Amino acid sequence: MNSLISVMLVDDEPLALDNVYQMVPWTENGFQVVAKATSGRIALQMFEELQPQIVITDISMSPMDGLELGRLVVKLAPKTRLIFLTAYRDFDYARQALEMRAAHYLLKHEISRNRLLEQLNLLKEGLAAEAAEEEGHGHALHILLKDMLEGKYQALPGNQESRLRRLVAEHQQGQPALLYFELDAAILLDGSRRNKRWPVSSVWKNIEEEIRLQSKDMEDIHILEMDEGGYIVLLKLSSSSSLLLQHYNLRQIAAQVIEGLDTYCEGVLPRIIISAGGGAELPDRRYVAIRQAYDYSIFLPPGALFLLEQAPSTGGASVIANEVRQYLLSPEKSKLDRLKVSLEKVTTQARLGDLRAVIGEVSVECRKDGSFCTDLELGQDARQIVSSLYRILEDRLQRQQPRNNYSRWVNRAMDYVAGNYADPDLSLETVAGHLQISSIHLRTTFKRETGQSLLDYTTEYRIALAKQLLQTGEFKIYEVSEKVGYKTSQYFSQVFKKTTGMQPKDFLQQKGGE
């Protein structure tokens, strides 16, 4: 039931591949890049496994070029959409793409965000039309309702309104009631939320049908998987009821959703936020407010229900954020002890604004020194989050204490490593050149003061970061190796084993079993 259109990018030039990937805000436009490949053969293997709906590929590749890849892709999955990227000199050659039902081809020197998005949106419309034909009225309606809540829906003028669009208008004007939840939602160090998808669409259909049968005061229900990752239960309640009765009915329906998830999804108990219909606010604005307010759920137990109105506002200055800022400027044990008490109060008093402010301060500091991955998962509830933040703050103190004994050259060398560890060409010579001192002086000074070479220090730094990236579960081993400055995953694995005593894959399995 994932409504994001899956996309694979293929180009044998890594820089060109990254350029296309960075060009489009994929998720917010309804797409998801599920694979990136730097050769036609690798791309074909990935396609067989992932079956993306759209393939964007360069034509000029070796040994398998984009046209051959396209032919094989269409043979495996005839409904796949293809976009070919070509240089001007290969323009005539690119016309062969039309024989394979290619969606379009774009000249590389003309490609831009708008041009690529224009083609992608055309494909999206075609895929949505096909989905409506294949899965019927219900799925097409879900797509339109989702677009309405996400502010992407546009009504057609005059007599162009279809029955589906009239149903959307009824929901839009009738102020539907909304329930919102996320599965295994966790707060990341950058302040965003990461959540999981439940892959079996029949689960939601079953829950919908059970609620229809059991709820007397409900006229319509749709469970929608939103592009941002959460789920909306969009409800049309019987007209009449007071706000109090609406809230009662919504709580009953929310309890049924939780019961259904507990039955079908092996004990998953999401926290659910509730917003009754009525009032002047349009559903898309209410949806935005609900998503923003959902952070408050971290203070509640699994399976909890709460009203949108119960989520506190988060404006105003934060005293504890200033305490954190001062501590990070000059870490001291006494300051850390006071922060521990303050962080406990944030948890017990459910001060969401303060917690967001602290996460912001810590995130800024981590970006500065590069010592933590900014998408590091802090936790799924307030206590886990506060505990993770405290460990990061404590780490700052532990790292600061020995550095007070080092000379400015050693400290500056460490700072340079922290800011440039991802550069595969980082070396003693490049650091010395940046500091404008001789490499011999830096080598002897660093070894004398720290007891290890700059190379060993850099290796330890990179492997420590690699562990954190692997623990997030978001990156493959070859992606981690690139992020921490190794040109090949094979060499990265050798260094990782030499440093930790185990291969990266064994480290992942060990963490997964804990």
Side-chain angles (χ1 to χ4, degrees), residues 81-104:
R81 270 40 177 197
L82 302 170
I83 297 179
F84 290 95
L85 306 180
T86 178
Y88 184 81
R89 64 180 180 274
D90 298 322
F91 184 75
D92 290 332
Y93 185 55
R95 293 181 186 277
Q96 297 178 47
L98 297 176
E99 299 173 7
M100 284 179 287
R101 194 188 164 203
H104 207 76

Short mmCIF file of all heavy atoms in Angstrom, two decimals, residues 81-104:
data_model
loop_
_atom_site.label_atom_id
_atom_site.label_comp_id
_atom_site.label_asym_id
_atom_site.label_seq_id
_atom_site.Cartn_x
_atom_site.Cartn_y
_atom_site.Cartn_z
N ARG A 81 8.40 2.17 -16.52
CA ARG A 81 8.65 3.41 -17.27
C ARG A 81 10.15 3.66 -17.34
O ARG A 81 10.86 3.47 -16.35
CB ARG A 81 7.98 4.58 -16.58
CG ARG A 81 6.56 4.93 -16.96
CD ARG A 81 5.63 3.82 -17.19
NE ARG A 81 4.28 4.33 -17.48
CZ ARG A 81 3.21 3.60 -17.40
NH1 ARG A 81 3.29 2.33 -17.06
NH2 ARG A 81 2.01 4.11 -17.68
N LEU A 82 10.61 4.13 -18.51
CA LEU A 82 12.04 4.40 -18.70
C LEU A 82 12.25 5.86 -19.06
O LEU A 82 11.52 6.43 -19.87
CB LEU A 82 12.59 3.54 -19.84
CG LEU A 82 12.46 2.02 -19.68
CD1 LEU A 82 12.84 1.34 -20.98
CD2 LEU A 82 13.33 1.52 -18.55
N ILE A 83 13.28 6.46 -18.46
CA ILE A 83 13.75 7.79 -18.87
C ILE A 83 15.23 7.64 -19.19
O ILE A 83 16.02 7.23 -18.34
CB ILE A 83 13.55 8.85 -17.77
CG1 ILE A 83 12.07 9.05 -17.46
CG2 ILE A 83 14.18 10.17 -18.19
CD1 ILE A 83 11.81 10.07 -16.36
N PHE A 84 15.60 7.98 -20.43
CA PHE A 84 16.99 7.86 -20.86
C PHE A 84 17.65 9.24 -20.81
O PHE A 84 17.08 10.23 -21.25
CB PHE A 84 17.08 7.31 -22.28
CG PHE A 84 16.70 5.87 -22.38
CD1 PHE A 84 15.41 5.51 -22.72
CD2 PHE A 84 17.63 4.88 -22.12
CE1 PHE A 84 15.05 4.18 -22.80
CE2 PHE A 84 17.28 3.54 -22.21
CZ PHE A 84 15.98 3.18 -22.55
N LEU A 85 18.85 9.27 -20.27
CA LEU A 85 19.66 10.49 -20.25
C LEU A 85 20.76 10.33 -21.30
O LEU A 85 21.44 9.31 -21.34
CB LEU A 85 20.28 10.71 -18.87
CG LEU A 85 19.30 10.72 -17.69
CD1 LEU A 85 20.06 10.94 -16.38
CD2 LEU A 85 18.24 11.79 -17.87
N THR A 86 20.92 11.33 -22.14
CA THR A 86 21.87 11.19 -23.23
C THR A 86 22.61 12.49 -23.51
O THR A 86 22.08 13.58 -23.27
CB THR A 86 21.15 10.74 -24.52
OG1 THR A 86 22.10 10.65 -25.58
CG2 THR A 86 20.06 11.73 -24.92
N ALA A 87 23.83 12.36 -23.95
CA ALA A 87 24.59 13.52 -24.41
C ALA A 87 24.08 13.93 -25.79
O ALA A 87 23.47 13.14 -26.51
CB ALA A 87 26.08 13.20 -24.47
N TYR A 88 24.35 15.16 -26.18
CA TYR A 88 23.84 15.69 -27.45
C TYR A 88 24.35 14.87 -28.63
O TYR A 88 23.61 14.61 -29.59
CB TYR A 88 24.27 17.16 -27.61
CG TYR A 88 23.71 17.81 -28.85
CD1 TYR A 88 22.41 18.31 -28.86
CD2 TYR A 88 24.46 17.90 -30.02
CE1 TYR A 88 21.87 18.89 -29.99
CE2 TYR A 88 23.94 18.49 -31.16
CZ TYR A 88 22.65 18.99 -31.15
OH TYR A 88 22.13 19.54 -32.28
N ARG A 89 25.58 14.39 -28.55
CA ARG A 89 26.17 13.64 -29.68
C ARG A 89 25.45 12.31 -29.92
O ARG A 89 25.54 11.73 -31.00
CB ARG A 89 27.66 13.40 -29.44
CG ARG A 89 27.94 12.51 -28.23
CD ARG A 89 29.43 12.29 -28.04
NE ARG A 89 29.71 11.44 -26.90
CZ ARG A 89 29.83 11.88 -25.66
NH1 ARG A 89 29.71 13.17 -25.42
NH2 ARG A 89 30.08 11.04 -24.67
N ASP A 90 24.75 11.81 -28.88
CA ASP A 90 24.05 10.53 -29.01
C ASP A 90 22.56 10.73 -29.24
O ASP A 90 21.77 9.79 -29.06
CB ASP A 90 24.26 9.68 -27.75
CG ASP A 90 25.72 9.34 -27.53
OD1 ASP A 90 26.42 9.07 -28.53
OD2 ASP A 90 26.15 9.35 -26.36
N PHE A 91 22.16 11.93 -29.65
CA PHE A 91 20.74 12.26 -29.73
C PHE A 91 20.00 11.30 -30.68
O PHE A 91 18.94 10.77 -30.34
CB PHE A 91 20.58 13.70 -30.21
CG PHE A 91 19.15 14.17 -30.24
CD1 PHE A 91 18.47 14.48 -29.07
CD2 PHE A 91 18.47 14.30 -31.44
CE1 PHE A 91 17.16 14.91 -29.09
CE2 PHE A 91 17.15 14.73 -31.47
CZ PHE A 91 16.50 15.04 -30.30
N ASP A 92 20.56 11.08 -31.87
CA ASP A 92 19.89 10.19 -32.83
C ASP A 92 19.83 8.76 -32.29
O ASP A 92 18.85 8.03 -32.48
CB ASP A 92 20.61 10.22 -34.18
CG ASP A 92 20.40 11.55 -34.88
OD1 ASP A 92 19.35 12.20 -34.63
OD2 ASP A 92 21.28 11.96 -35.65
N TYR A 93 20.90 8.37 -31.65
CA TYR A 93 20.96 7.04 -31.04
C TYR A 93 19.84 6.87 -30.01
O TYR A 93 19.23 5.81 -29.88
CB TYR A 93 22.33 6.91 -30.38
CG TYR A 93 22.66 5.57 -29.78
CD1 TYR A 93 22.57 4.40 -30.53
CD2 TYR A 93 23.09 5.46 -28.46
CE1 TYR A 93 22.90 3.16 -29.99
CE2 TYR A 93 23.43 4.24 -27.91
CZ TYR A 93 23.33 3.09 -28.67
OH TYR A 93 23.65 1.88 -28.12
N ALA A 94 19.54 7.96 -29.29
CA ALA A 94 18.54 7.91 -28.22
C ALA A 94 17.14 7.68 -28.75
O ALA A 94 16.25 7.25 -28.02
CB ALA A 94 18.57 9.21 -27.42
N ARG A 95 16.92 7.94 -30.05
CA ARG A 95 15.58 7.76 -30.60
C ARG A 95 15.15 6.29 -30.54
O ARG A 95 13.95 5.99 -30.59
CB ARG A 95 15.53 8.27 -32.05
CG ARG A 95 15.70 9.78 -32.14
CD ARG A 95 15.61 10.25 -33.59
NE ARG A 95 15.91 11.66 -33.70
CZ ARG A 95 15.04 12.64 -33.49
NH1 ARG A 95 13.81 12.34 -33.14
NH2 ARG A 95 15.39 13.90 -33.62
N GLN A 96 16.11 5.41 -30.44
CA GLN A 96 15.76 3.99 -30.30
C GLN A 96 14.96 3.74 -29.03
O GLN A 96 14.27 2.73 -28.91
CB GLN A 96 17.03 3.13 -30.28
CG GLN A 96 17.84 3.18 -31.56
CD GLN A 96 19.09 2.34 -31.41
OE1 GLN A 96 19.05 1.21 -30.95
NE2 GLN A 96 20.22 2.91 -31.82
N ALA A 97 15.09 4.66 -28.08
CA ALA A 97 14.37 4.51 -26.81
C ALA A 97 12.87 4.43 -27.06
O ALA A 97 12.14 3.75 -26.33
CB ALA A 97 14.67 5.69 -25.90
N LEU A 98 12.39 5.12 -28.10
CA LEU A 98 10.96 5.14 -28.36
C LEU A 98 10.42 3.76 -28.72
O LEU A 98 9.26 3.45 -28.50
CB LEU A 98 10.65 6.14 -29.49
CG LEU A 98 11.01 7.60 -29.17
CD1 LEU A 98 10.75 8.47 -30.39
CD2 LEU A 98 10.21 8.10 -27.98
N GLU A 99 11.30 2.91 -29.29
CA GLU A 99 10.86 1.57 -29.65
C GLU A 99 10.58 0.72 -28.42
O GLU A 99 9.89 -0.29 -28.50
CB GLU A 99 11.95 0.89 -30.50
CG GLU A 99 12.24 1.61 -31.81
CD GLU A 99 13.43 0.98 -32.51
OE1 GLU A 99 13.91 -0.07 -32.04
OE2 GLU A 99 13.88 1.55 -33.53
N MET A 100 11.14 1.12 -27.28
CA MET A 100 10.96 0.34 -26.07
C MET A 100 9.91 0.94 -25.14
O MET A 100 9.93 0.73 -23.94
CB MET A 100 12.29 0.24 -25.32
CG MET A 100 13.24 -0.73 -25.93
SD MET A 100 14.76 -0.77 -25.00
CE MET A 100 15.46 0.81 -25.48
N ARG A 101 9.06 1.76 -25.68
CA ARG A 101 8.02 2.39 -24.87
C ARG A 101 8.65 3.27 -23.79
O ARG A 101 8.18 3.35 -22.67
CB ARG A 101 7.15 1.31 -24.23
CG ARG A 101 5.85 1.81 -23.65
CD ARG A 101 5.18 0.68 -22.89
NE ARG A 101 4.15 1.20 -22.01
CZ ARG A 101 3.70 0.59 -20.95
NH1 ARG A 101 4.18 -0.58 -20.62
NH2 ARG A 101 2.76 1.12 -20.21
N ALA A 102 9.80 3.85 -24.12
CA ALA A 102 10.45 4.74 -23.15
C ALA A 102 9.55 5.94 -22.90
O ALA A 102 8.93 6.46 -23.82
CB ALA A 102 11.79 5.21 -23.70
N ALA A 103 9.48 6.34 -21.66
CA ALA A 103 8.64 7.48 -21.32
C ALA A 103 9.17 8.74 -21.99
O ALA A 103 8.42 9.54 -22.53
CB ALA A 103 8.60 7.67 -19.82
N HIS A 104 10.46 8.90 -21.99
CA HIS A 104 11.04 10.13 -22.52
C HIS A 104 12.56 9.98 -22.52
O HIS A 104 13.11 9.07 -21.92
CB HIS A 104 10.66 11.33 -21.65
CG HIS A 104 10.64 12.62 -22.43
ND1 HIS A 104 9.62 12.95 -23.29
CD2 HIS A 104 11.51 13.65 -22.49
CE1 HIS A 104 9.87 14.14 -23.83
NE2 HIS A 104 11.01 14.58 -23.36
#
